Amino acid sequence: MTSLPTIPLQAGPLNPVFEPLYWFLKLWSGFMSWVAGMTGLELLQYGFMHRAILVGLCIGVMAPLIGTFLVHRQLALIGDALAHTGFAGVAVGLFVNAVFELGISPYLTAVIVSMIAALFIELISEATDAYNDVSMAIVLSTGFALGTTLISINAGGLAVGVNQFLFGNLATVSQDSAAILLLLFVIIIGVVALTRNQLLYVTFDETAAAVSGLSVSWYNRIMVLLTAMVVVGAMQIMGVILVAAMLVVPVAGASQVSRSFNESILVSIVLAELAVILGIGVSYSAEATAGGVIVLLAVAIYVVAVVLGKLQTVFSEEDTPEMGSIDMGEAKPSDD
């Protein structure tokens, strides 16, 4: 089995936080090696695939979990805006490493820049009374402009390094990036578990939530910060260009066949995991870009969900009796 060595994050005080994550990655790699021995699957014989599969499984949970709230709030495009600011964060990390030789993980700088951009989206909307799509467009263009500027300043020296972040790459899922993803996953799941009811209330009726005493602006900021974490976490496999799809497409498919909000979350996670696992396997076999394959499969699953949803509607209408077919004889008043 080929495995890349563990390179500690240049995080200083954060090292105690990441040490258990590295231990878990080692444990996961051992489990994947055991599965490879039992099944004989070639793709499970490599360390980078162990990490890619784990990252994909985490993305398949946290992206539709947050995406369900976003879609119901008509904020589907915020993922695209934050992805472009994540690209700026990656460019900042690569630029700082190239100039000052600090060895900082670009994913750490991407997390920081994306979270700052997420807060700016909310602050612009609150300070200027602009619609959310206006603030998202401003942040998107600013983030991408900053990223391209930093790359050009370094005379194109960062172009090769940044390609993996633009398009995603299974082979470049390092120990560092996988550890960061696991940390983001734990934070996202924990925050949603603690604030689910409040987020749900704000999602469906901000006015009523404000009247009840909830700080709507506070929970809006929590949501955009969680979205930034998801976007950066998914970027390493999906790439900047396609990362927003995992926030929207599985949720859109789940909404076609689900009857409640909770059911929509569960179904969207199942659809996302199906797209991720199949996409990783197909992209490895075909030597294709993982992000593109995963999104294509997610869209195909969405189409199937739409067809199933229409059939479900047709059958439910056929099972509902028409008013003319109801025998009203027993309902006639008596002659007494």
Side-chain angles (χ1 to χ4, degrees), residues 190-209:
V191 172
V192 172
L194 293 174
T195 61
R196 175 194 173 277
N197 292 336
Q198 294 88 339
L199 292 175
L200 191 60
Y201 202 179
V202 173
T203 295
F204 286 99
D205 197 335
E206 284 193 0
T207 303

Side-chain angles (χ1 to χ4, degrees), residues 215-302:
S215 176
V216 173
S217 60
W218 171 251
Y219 287 103
N220 283 339
R221 289 166 188 170
I222 289 178
M223 180 53 58
V224 295
L225 289 175
L226 293 177
T227 305
M229 294 181 189
V230 172
V231 166
V232 174
M235 189 187 302
Q236 51 193 312
I237 284 183
M238 304 301 301
V240 169
I241 300 174
L242 298 173
V243 66
M246 292 306 293
L247 288 166
V248 178
V249 179
V251 178
S255 65
Q256 300 296 316
V257 295
S258 303
R259 294 166 293 182
S260 67
F261 186 83
N262 289 336
E263 185 178 338
S264 177
I265 290 178
L266 293 175
V267 173
S268 63
I269 290 174
V270 172
L271 298 183
E273 294 288 14
L274 184 61
V276 167
I277 297 301
L278 292 177
I280 290 176
V282 171
S283 62
Y284 175 82
S285 301
E287 298 183 358
T289 302
V293 176
I294 291 173
V295 171
L296 289 175
L297 288 173
V299 173
I301 294 172
Y302 165 74

Side-chain angles (χ1 to χ4, degrees), residues 116-148:
I116 293 173
L119 291 177
F120 267 111
I121 290 176
E122 283 298 310
L123 291 176
I124 292 173
S125 298
E126 294 172 5
T128 64
D129 293 327
Y131 291 109
N132 278 327
D133 58 345
V134 174
S135 59
M136 284 187 286
I138 294 172
V139 170
L140 183 153
S141 55
T142 303
F144 205 71
L146 175 61
T148 54

Side-chain angles (χ1 to χ4, degrees), residues 45-64:
Q45 297 176 2
Y46 304 101
F48 73 89
M49 287 303 300
H50 298 169
R51 295 186 291 272
I53 292 173
L54 179 60
V55 168
L57 291 174
C58 292
I59 293 170
V61 174
M62 62 186 190

Side-chain angles (χ1 to χ4, degrees), residues 5-135:
T6 300
I7 302 175
L9 281 164
Q10 303 295 321
L14 292 179
N15 282 338
V17 176
F18 286 100
E19 285 177 1
L21 300 177
Y22 284 125
W23 172 83
F24 179 80
L25 287 172
K26 184 177 180 181
L27 188 67
W28 172 262
S29 183
F31 173 71
M32 287 286 98
S33 298
W34 176 80
V35 174
M38 296 294 293
T39 61
L41 292 175
E42 180 186 350
L43 78 164
L44 297 181
Q45 297 176 2
Y46 304 101
F48 73 89
M49 287 303 300
H50 298 169
R51 295 186 291 272
I53 292 173
L54 179 60
V55 168
L57 291 174
C58 292
I59 293 170
V61 174
M62 62 186 190
L65 175 63
I66 299 302
T68 303
F69 288 96
L70 296 178
V71 170
H72 283 85
R73 299 179 67 177
Q74 299 181 346
L75 291 174
L77 292 180
I78 192 173
D80 201 24
L82 293 178
H84 285 74
T85 58
F87 166 74
V90 167
V92 169
L94 294 175
F95 181 81
V96 169
N97 289 340
V99 175
F100 301 104
E101 300 181 356
L102 295 180
I104 299 174
S105 172
Y107 283 109
L108 282 179
T109 55
V111 171
I112 296 172
V113 172
S114 293
M115 293 179 71
I116 293 173
L119 291 177
F120 267 111
I121 290 176
E122 283 298 310
L123 291 176
I124 292 173
S125 298
E126 294 172 5
T128 64
D129 293 327
Y131 291 109
N132 278 327
D133 58 345
V134 174
S135 59

